[in-house]
Amino acid sequence: MKENRQRLAVVDGIRGCSLLGILLANMLIFQYGIWGKDELHLYAPSAVDVGAYALFGIYAAKARWFHEPDRERPFYRNGAILCLLPGVVLACAGYVWRDEAWSGTADVLGNSLLAFGYLFALAYVFSQAAWSTWLHRFASVGKLSMTNYLMQTVICTTIFYGYGLGLFGNIGVLAGILLAVAIFALQAAGSHWYMRRFRCGPIEKLLRMWTNVSFSGRPKEKAAVGRGVTTSA
């Protein structure tokens, strides 16, 4: 049970950090619109990218990399170092020498290594979450990931779009970053308060009800054929 709680804390913490990154990235879109929207194919991940990340996730699950965070902490640290350092070098090389034939390959490899490095680094940090109340706040945001994601959209569109304050393109990049941090801080405090009183977020509850076809959100129990026991569907 303790190991399961630690695993969930690590996963929820990573999701919480991801939401902060999404908010920071989307802040530019909320202010200035989508640059390059007519060439979205240049930004979409290829089938190779999707397949590689999917295989990585399957292997990580099979290898139980995130089931015992305390024991795997040295592994997370080493993985972060081995991925982040070459990732930075390759990504920078691909940008600086972008006219070279190999720059595209360096950029793809560098970005992939950075993604894995961030994952290991966050896992390492959140495997030590017991000593930090702030890290617990990130985990609380992650537990309500879908609710918080939709809330970010509502808050930001209300601030920037015409039906709200109409500040589209008026506050600047630095102010946008500070605004994103402020919004996330409020979400972290609110999520922590909410999770101390409820077990599941409102949107997460609806998703569970839909997935399990149950008003309680829990899997239905079926009677085992020929036995006097019940099993979860």
Side-chain angles (χ1 to χ4, degrees), residues 65-109:
W65 283 358
F66 301 98
H67 281 257
E68 299 180 77
D70 281 344
R71 296 183 182 180
E72 299 293 346
R73 196 172 297 157
F75 172 72
Y76 300 151
R77 181 193 61 225
N78 295 336
I81 294 172
L82 292 175
C83 290
L84 288 176
L85 292 179
V88 170
V89 172
L90 287 171
C92 290
Y95 177 78
V96 174
W97 291 285
R98 54 184 176 275
D99 294 329
E100 300 293 335
W102 49 265
S103 62
T105 301
D107 187 61
V108 171
L109 290 176

Side-chain angles (χ1 to χ4, degrees), residues 28-182:
L28 293 175
I29 297 175
F30 286 127
Q31 291 189 74
Y32 305 112
I34 301 178
W35 179 82
K37 61 181 179 298
D38 297 326
E39 299 178 339
L40 290 179
H41 62 282
L42 298 177
Y43 306 95
S46 67
V48 175
D49 295 328
V50 174
Y53 290 134
L55 290 175
F56 174 83
I58 293 172
Y59 180 80
K62 290 288 186 180
R64 301 175 65 86
W65 283 358
F66 301 98
H67 281 257
E68 299 180 77
D70 281 344
R71 296 183 182 180
E72 299 293 346
R73 196 172 297 157
F75 172 72
Y76 300 151
R77 181 193 61 225
N78 295 336
I81 294 172
L82 292 175
C83 290
L84 288 176
L85 292 179
V88 170
V89 172
L90 287 171
C92 290
Y95 177 78
V96 174
W97 291 285
R98 54 184 176 275
D99 294 329
E100 300 293 335
W102 49 265
S103 62
T105 301
D107 187 61
V108 171
L109 290 176
N111 289 334
S112 297
L113 286 173
L114 285 175
F116 295 140
Y118 295 148
L119 175 64
F120 286 126
L122 290 174
Y124 177 76
V125 171
F126 284 104
S127 65
Q128 307 181 69
W131 51 263
S132 174
T133 56
W134 282 104
L135 295 183
H136 280 300
R137 300 296 191 276
F138 277 94
S140 296
V141 174
K143 291 179 186 295
L144 303 174
S145 55
M146 184 58 69
T147 298
N148 280 316
Y149 177 76
L150 295 176
M151 189 183 301
Q152 289 175 0
T153 302
V154 172
I155 293 173
C156 290
T157 54
T158 302
I159 292 173
F160 294 109
Y161 290 1
Y163 70 83
L165 299 178
L167 296 179
F168 187 89
N170 290 327
I171 70 171
V173 175
L174 179 58
I177 293 174
L178 295 177
L179 177 61
V181 172

Side-chain angles (χ1 to χ4, degrees), residues 196-208:
R196 294 182 65 180
R197 291 160 177 79
F198 304 96
R199 297 182 59 184
C200 184
I203 304 301
E204 288 75 15
K205 180 70 172 182
L206 291 175
L207 289 175
R208 290 185 181 184

